[in-house]
Structures are given as structure tokens and as C-alpha cells.
Amino acid sequence: MTKIQIDEINFKHFKGFDDFSLTLNGNNAVVSGRNGAGKSTLADGFQWLLFGKNLLGAKLNPKPLDSNNKEKLGLNPTIEAQLIIDGDSVSLVRVQEEKWSTKRGELEATRSSDTTKYFVDGVPAKEKEWKAFIESLGGEQLLQILSNSAFFMGLNWSKRREILMDMSGVTDETILANNPKLQELQTALGDHSIDELKKILAGQKKEIKQQIDGIPARIQENTDTIKSIQDRIGDVITLEIELENHHSALEKAENKLATLKNGDASLDAQQELARLKLQLAEEQRKFLSSEHLATQSLQADADELDRQLREARQSVNDLTYQINSLERLIADKVKYRQQMLAEYKSIKEQTFDEHAKTCPTCNQELPQDQVADLITNFDLEKSRKLEANIAVVKERKVTKDDMQADDYKLTNLTETKFMKEQEIERLVGKVDSIYQELNYEKGRLGKFEDSKQYKKISDQIKTVETKIVNAQDDSAELVSEAQQEVSRLRGLVADVQASIQELKMIDQLNDRINALRQKDQELKAQNQDVERKLWLIDEFTRVKVSSIEESINDKFQLVKWKLFDVQKNGAISETCEATYNGIEYNSGLNNGSRINCDLDIVNTLSKQFGVYMPVFVDNAESVNELVAIDSQMIELRVTKDNQLVVEDEK
């Protein structure tokens, strides 16, 4: 543990102080005086001594100013402090010295950048050594937080949250180990973190849903194909009866043809021609049937990917519109916020007109009580304007938190758009691939007229037709008629046989439908498993949220922290808002309560980190009773005293 107290601190040529000593002997104290008497300068001086900054953590120029608001030259701001660190007396000195030099060939010296000198217990120290000494006490940020009661709540909410989360001691491992309901989740994690597993499951869920959504259409397609075949061809029993009748008629026609053949030289050729034409028709039917089976599934997949690609591109267009709208809104907010900040700064820099102390009629100074009232009214009006400025900023939602929320939303939209664009690239690749395969299948099969079978049989048919034409016989016409009848009947037989063969495709289609239904059941089971794991992650998050907030809030006396927000959709977002009696620190809490909350925060963080710093409490007069803390406390109170009054509480 490190406990630091102020024994005595001296100010020389520092801002409004020519020479001032604050002696505390390590005790608490109340420093009072009118506005402008130098109360805040005391706190700034302690911060400048340690860090070279003011109470707000901004770089500070400590040089005294003249009546024209220009630096008084020849004076070196100096802060010398006698501190008590863990019971030992330590002297710290910081001096800002002017640096003048005369360039060759010039008579007058010119001023360059001031230099800073450091001393620890009278020994000169380099800046690096000084910073190392500050780091040994706890580090600049921690010491700023613990020495300025309002500093912590002035930090960005995410930084406050980071500090608080480090205090909780709650880890994912302890939550998983201590909650039996989450054992399944611990097994599912493997080497992944909770966030990584959640992203993996979300991706799996999306992929599974896409597959499930595509199955009904594919089942319907096969069902429609079966119905089309059945409507066009009929049933097997009817076809078999029809085939038997055609066989009987064909047998009679062939017998008649055989009787005529003995007197007809062309009969054999005609019979061969009929056979070849039947063979050609059968080959064509086989070709068309194989082409349909090879490409119908690929075409269905290509159509589905085209639909997904259209939807993804529409999503990118929608996201682009949202992003452009939000960017314009952010730009308008930034411009308006800059205007309000400039107005706030202008109001903040306004000072009381000293001429108002003189009566405009008789040019004599007004009574002191009237002057005090004028100053009080001026301060009240200035505070009212500042509060009005802040209220407008909050109302127009251009606070830092609002701007960060807009930036966060813009980032999420941009990331979502990027993911959609990646999805489009992936889908385009799939579409190109499947169309290549589809074109390959169509190209591989080609046209039936270009096939070897067609050319071979066609050549044979031409040869036979030549024989028939050259054959001269009186019975040619009768034989031809008989041959045509045989050919016709054989064609009918072939057509019926082809239809029966096509009906057998229904069994393949039914097998495909059953496989798709089985796949649907498997995917739904996988989806249920993913949904359960996502539910376990949500349950883990709820347990973690409760455990972290409870762990942190147990450490504070007054302040209760809200570290998570539950959205309407059940999602949990990060936040960091201090509350007191249910009222948010930055939304409705009065100044006195905020000061006591600040002190509770300082006291708790001091215990947590084992470092206690002197704490300067500004506007202490607005609090009826300050909360007790374990650190040395210097209250800065506004009174009507023209000079600072220091009261040692011992």
C-alpha cells in the first residue's frame, strides 16, 4: 500500500500566485474564498507538479499573465511540495525556466522553448527519472484519478469500464466451472473463446438455414417431374396391355410381310430400313433422357444460387444507402457539436467586467455588497448559459457518447456490408462454377445429330434406301405397304417400351425425394443443436453480466454501476453508467450527490489499487455532508472571502 499526503506545498510565480504556501501537515483541510481567489489554482498546481497538466488532464502553461493577458517575462513558475509518502518525508520541486539565447550577429537575445527542471529530495532529476518516480507511485493515470475526485467520471465510458472490469475478478473459466448448466458449452468451446464460438455458430446457423430453405423447392421440383411423367404417360398396367396388343398386331404384319418377301427383292431391304429407323428412334430417346438427367439438378442449383445472389446484392444496396445517410447525419452532428463547443468555450472564458464596480453616474466604486451581488449574478448567468449549452448538446444527441454510438453503428453497418460483399464474391464464384459445369455437361453431350450413333445409323439408312429404290419388282408396292405397317407397329412397340422405361425414372426421383427429406431432418437436428449452443451462450452472458456487476458493485458504498444494457431483441451491449439511488450520474443527479459519488469512486479505487492520494474536491460548498474517505481530502469552498482561508480540520 502507498499513502501520499501533503505536508506543505509552495507556489511561486504560478498562474495567479506570486508566492503562496499551503501548510496541511498531512491533515484534511478546507480552503475557502471567493471565485477567482485561487482555489482551483491550488489543485492545478499539485497536478502540474506531478504531471505538467491541469485538473482536467490537459497540458498547462503555468506562466503568470499581465492585464493584457500576456505572459510576464522573467518569472519562473515553481511548485515545491513536501509530501509524506508512507510516513517518510519526500521533497518534490518542478521549475519552468525561460530560455534565452543570442544568435551570432544579433544584439538582442531571443526566447526559445522553456525548459523544465525537476528535483527529488534536492537532487536534480531528468524528465525520464521523474516519470519513472511517478510510475513507481502508481502511474500518471491512476494518480490523476485518485487526486481529482471528478477525474474518473470525466474519462471515456469505455476506459472507465475497462478499469472496473479489471476489478471484478470474474473470468469465463470460473463461470463455466461453477455453473453445471454450462458444462455442455465448456465442451463445445474446445480451443475457442466464447465470442469465437458465437461467430462460428452464427455462420453455421446461416448456412444450415440456407440449405433447409432450398430443400422444399427441390422436393417440389422432383414431385412435379413425377406428376408430369404420370400425366403424360399414364400407368404401367395400361401400357403393358397396350404393348401386348401392339406385339400381336406386329406378329401378324410380319407374317404377311414374310409371305410377300419371296416375290419381292426389296422386302429384306425394307425390313432392314424399318429396323434401322426404330434403332435410330431408340438411340435418340436414350440421348434425350440422359441429357435431362445430367442437367436438371445442376440447373436447379444454378437457379437457387442466382436467387441468393440477387438478394445479397439488394442487401448491399440497402446497406450502402444506410451508411451514406448515417455518414451525412454524423457530419451534421460533428459540425453542430463544434459550434456548441466553441460557444461553450466562449462562455467559459467570459470574465466579470471590472468597470461594473464603478457607478456610471458618479464614477465612485459601488459598495462592496453590491459588487458581490453583481459578481454572483454574473457567475449565475454564466453557469446558466453553460448549463443551457450542455442541455442543448444532450437534447440534440451530440454528446461524446452519442457520437461514439453513431460511430459504432456506422462501423457495424460497414462491417455488415463488407461481409455481404464477401458473400456476393463467394456466390459469384459458385454461380460461375456451376454454370461452367452445366455448360460442360451440355457441351459434352452435344446434339444428337452430331453423335456417332446418329451418323452411323443414318449412313446405314441411306444405303438401305438406295437398295430399295434400285429394286424393281411387280410386288414392290405390296411389299412396301407391308413393310411400312411392320415399321409402324414396331415404332408403336418402341414408343410404349420407351414410355415404360421412362416410368422407371419415377423410382429414381422418389429415391431423390426421400434423400432430400432425410437431409432435411438431419439439417433440422443440426439447427436445433446450434440453437441450443447459442442459447447456452446467451445464458452464459446473462450469468456473466450478473456476476460482474454484483462483484464490482459490492466494492462500492454509494455508487452502483450499470455495465450492460439488454436490448429489445435480447442482445446485450456494453455500457458504463454510474447510478446513485437509481438515478444515473449524468442524467438528473444533483451536483452534491455527484461529488459524493466521485469520492466513493476514489475511495474504492484507492483500496483496490492500494494507493491513497491527496484529493482536491471542488465546489464542496454544494454538499451538506461529504462522504468520508481514507485519503487526505482538501475541500475547495466558495465564500465571500477575498483572500484564501485555510482551515486545518485537525
Side-chain angles (χ1 to χ4, degrees):
M1 183 186 79
T2 300
K3 188 163 188 177
I4 302 171
Q5 299 164 294
I6 297 175
D7 186 9
E8 183 177 354
I9 183 168
N10 299 310
F11 304 77
K12 291 185 179 180
H13 308 306
F14 182 83
K15 294 180 69 175
F17 288 141
D18 288 332
D19 191 355
F20 184 83
S21 294
L22 178 65
T23 303
L24 301 178
N25 300 315
N27 300 318
N28 294 344
V30 176
V31 180
S32 57
R34 64 174 177 80
N35 288 322
K39 299 183 298 300
S40 297
T41 302
L42 296 177
D44 279 343
F46 185 64
Q47 297 292 317
W48 183 79
L49 168 67
L50 298 178
F51 319 117
K53 300 178 180 179
N54 62 13
L55 270 176
L56 300 177
K59 189 174 180 180
L60 174 66
N61 181 10
K63 294 284 287 187
L65 304 177
D66 60 19
S67 58
N68 294 321
N69 206 35
K70 294 184 178 180
E71 293 182 356
K72 294 180 179 180
L73 300 180
L75 302 178
N76 297 324
T78 303
I79 300 291
E80 180 176 357
Q82 200 70 30
L83 303 180
I84 304 172
I85 302 179
D86 293 336
D88 295 329
S89 179
V90 177
S91 171
L92 298 179
V93 179
R94 186 187 192 109
V95 182
Q96 182 171 305
E97 289 188 351
E98 295 177 0
K99 186 176 181 181
W100 297 80
S101 60
T102 304
K103 296 181 180 179
R104 180 178 297 178
E106 295 182 0
L107 297 177
E108 294 186 0
T110 57
R111 181 184 175 191
S112 56
S113 300
D114 293 353
T115 60
T116 303
K117 293 185 177 181
Y118 309 91
F119 300 88
V120 179
D121 286 333
V123 179
K126 296 180 180 179
E127 181 180 10
K128 183 178 180 180
E129 295 170 335
W130 181 269
K131 289 184 176 180
F133 174 75
I134 298 299
E135 192 65 32
S136 70
L137 298 177
E140 180 175 323
Q141 179 175 272
L142 179 61
L143 299 184
Q144 284 179 313
I145 291 171
L146 301 182
S147 60
N148 176 10
S149 60
F151 193 87
F152 185 78
M153 288 305 297
L155 293 173
N156 179 274
W157 72 269
S158 59
K159 186 62 181 177
R160 297 198 303 265
R161 191 177 191 279
E162 179 183 340
I163 294 172
L164 292 172
M165 292 293 286
D166 288 340
M167 296 169 54
S168 71
V170 176
T171 64
D172 292 356
E173 290 74 15
T174 57
I175 292 174
L176 291 171
N178 296 329
N179 195 320
K181 291 194 300 183
L182 301 177
Q183 293 303 308
E184 181 181 343
L185 179 60
Q186 189 170 16
T187 303
L189 280 172
D191 296 330
H192 297 293
S193 66
I194 291 291
D195 289 339
E196 290 172 343
L197 179 59
K198 188 171 184 178
K199 291 178 180 177
I200 292 171
L201 292 174
Q204 291 177 352
K205 181 179 178 181
K206 183 178 180 181
E207 185 67 27
I208 291 171
K209 183 178 183 303
Q210 289 176 346
Q211 293 185 52
I212 292 175
D213 290 345
I215 285 178
R218 299 175 73 179
I219 291 177
Q220 187 62 47
E221 179 187 2
N222 286 275
T223 302
D224 291 344
T225 302
I226 292 173
K227 186 175 185 305
S228 175
I229 292 174
Q230 291 174 335
D231 291 344
R232 180 166 45 84
I233 297 176
D235 60 86
V236 174
I237 295 176
T238 302
L239 288 174
E240 287 177 346
I241 293 173
E242 186 178 353
L243 180 62
E244 185 178 349
N245 292 333
H246 288 329
H247 273 304
S248 177
L250 177 61
E251 183 179 356
K252 292 178 181 180
E254 287 175 339
N255 290 336
K256 180 181 178 180
L257 179 61
T259 302
L260 296 172
K261 277 183 63 176
N262 293 330
D264 187 355
S266 66
L267 288 179
D268 290 337
Q270 290 175 354
Q271 186 176 4
E272 177 65 10
L273 178 62
R275 185 187 66 78
L276 288 172
K277 288 183 177 179
L278 182 63
Q279 183 180 355
L280 184 64
E282 177 65 14
E283 290 297 333
Q284 184 178 24
R285 185 199 62 76
K286 289 180 180 180
F287 180 89
L288 294 176
S289 177
S290 63
E291 179 186 31
H292 178 69
L293 289 174
T295 60
Q296 66 174 352
S297 179
L298 288 173
Q299 186 63 55
D301 291 341
D303 292 343
E304 173 60 18
L305 286 173
D306 281 335
R307 181 190 67 78
Q308 294 179 18
L309 187 57
R310 288 194 302 272
E311 291 178 353
R313 283 171 172 163
Q314 183 60 45
S315 295
V316 169
N317 291 337
D318 293 342
L319 287 167
T320 301
Y321 175 79
Q322 295 178 45
I323 290 171
N324 291 339
S325 300
L326 185 56
E327 286 177 340
R328 289 194 297 269
L329 177 63
I330 291 174
D332 291 341
K333 283 188 174 184
V334 168
K335 182 177 179 181
Y336 184 78
R337 176 175 171 80
Q338 290 173 345
Q339 293 174 351
M340 296 306 294
L341 286 174
E343 178 183 300
Y344 183 93
K345 182 178 180 182
S346 175
I347 297 171
K348 191 75 174 177
E349 291 174 351
Q350 290 177 5
T351 58
F352 181 78
D353 185 5
E354 296 295 328
H355 295 92
K357 295 181 180 181
T358 304
C359 176
T361 304
C362 61
N363 291 328
Q364 293 184 355
E365 285 193 359
L366 296 173
Q368 190 172 6
D369 57 342
Q370 292 186 24
V371 172
D373 290 339
L374 289 174
I375 294 173
T376 299
N377 291 335
F378 171 82
D379 290 339
L380 289 174
E381 179 62 14
K382 181 178 179 180
S383 297
R384 185 193 65 77
K385 290 180 180 178
L386 291 174
E387 290 175 355
N389 178 281
I390 294 172
V392 171
V393 168
K394 290 182 178 178
E395 181 181 356
R396 291 290 294 272
K397 297 188 181 299
V398 291
T399 65
K400 286 184 179 179
D401 288 348
D402 293 323
M403 301 301 287
Q404 288 172 350
D406 288 341
D407 289 340
Y408 180 76
K409 182 178 179 181
L410 180 61
T411 299
N412 284 343
L413 287 173
T414 304
E415 290 177 352
T416 303
K417 179 185 174 185
F418 177 73
M419 292 173 65
K420 278 291 180 184
E421 289 172 341
Q422 287 186 319
E423 182 182 352
I424 289 174
E425 292 180 3
R426 178 179 63 81
L427 288 172
V428 168
K430 283 188 174 182
V431 168
D432 291 341
S433 176
I434 201 166
Y435 272 110
Q436 287 177 4
E437 186 176 355
L438 185 61
N439 292 332
Y440 169 76
E441 285 294 331
K442 290 181 177 180
R444 181 177 64 83
L445 295 171
K447 295 181 180 180
F448 174 67
E449 287 74 11
D450 296 330
S451 66
K452 293 180 179 179
Q453 294 89 340
Y454 177 86
K455 291 179 180 179
K456 179 180 178 181
I457 297 173
S458 294
D459 290 340
Q460 292 174 351
I461 288 174
K462 289 178 181 178
T463 301
V464 173
E465 286 175 340
T466 301
K467 289 181 180 180
I468 293 174
V469 171
N470 293 332
Q472 299 294 327
D473 194 275
D474 293 339
S475 62
E477 185 176 351
L478 294 175
V479 172
S480 176
E481 290 176 356
Q483 182 68 56
Q484 290 176 6
E485 179 63 13
V486 170
S487 297
R488 185 184 70 81
L489 290 171
R490 285 177 176 173
L492 292 175
V493 169
D495 289 341
V496 174
Q497 288 176 334
S499 296
I500 292 173
Q501 186 66 30
E502 191 172 357
L503 280 175
K504 293 181 179 180
M505 288 176 56
I506 294 177
D507 293 335
Q508 300 176 9
L509 294 170
N510 281 324
D511 290 342
R512 178 61 175 160
I513 291 172
N514 292 332
L516 288 170
R517 287 173 176 164
Q518 179 64 30
K519 182 66 173 178
D520 183 64
Q521 293 178 357
E522 293 173 358
L523 289 171
K524 287 177 178 176
Q526 293 176 20
N527 188 62
Q528 288 180 350
D529 182 61
V530 170
E531 289 283 5
R532 172 166 177 77
K533 290 174 181 175
L534 288 171
W535 179 87
L536 287 173
I537 290 177
D538 289 341
E539 180 66 17
F540 165 85
T541 303
R542 286 189 286 270
V543 173
K544 183 177 179 179
V545 165
S546 176
S547 300
I548 289 175
E549 287 190 343
E550 182 179 350
S551 171
I552 292 174
N553 286 330
D554 283 347
K555 299 177 185 295
F556 289 84
Q557 178 182 353
L558 302 179
V559 178
K560 298 302 176 188
W561 294 96
K562 180 182 178 183
L563 300 173
F564 300 91
D565 259 335
V566 179
Q567 308 296 319
K568 291 182 179 179
N569 61 0
I572 296 175
S573 62
E574 295 180 351
T575 186
C576 184
E577 184 59 56
T579 66
Y580 174 63
N581 289 335
I583 303 174
E584 291 188 357
Y585 183 96
N586 292 312
S587 301
L589 197 64
N590 61 60
N591 190 48
S593 297
R594 283 201 296 267
I595 290 174
N596 269 333
C597 286
D598 290 337
L599 291 174
D600 183 34
I601 292 170
V602 167
N603 201 42
T604 302
L605 294 179
S606 294
K607 293 177 182 177
Q608 178 69 24
F609 294 104
V611 179
Y612 295 84
M613 285 284 289
V615 183
F616 285 85
V617 184
D618 204 3
N619 299 317
E621 73 282 351
S622 63
V623 187
N624 293 328
E625 183 177 355
L626 291 172
V627 66
I629 62 175
D630 297 330
S631 302
Q632 182 185 22
M633 184 163 58
I634 300 95
E635 303 175 30
L636 305 178
R637 295 179 176 270
V638 176
T639 64
K640 294 184 178 181
D641 297 304
N642 290 325
Q643 302 296 324
L644 291 182
V645 177
V646 180
E647 300 177 54
D648 187 331
E649 288 192 358
K650 185 176 181 182

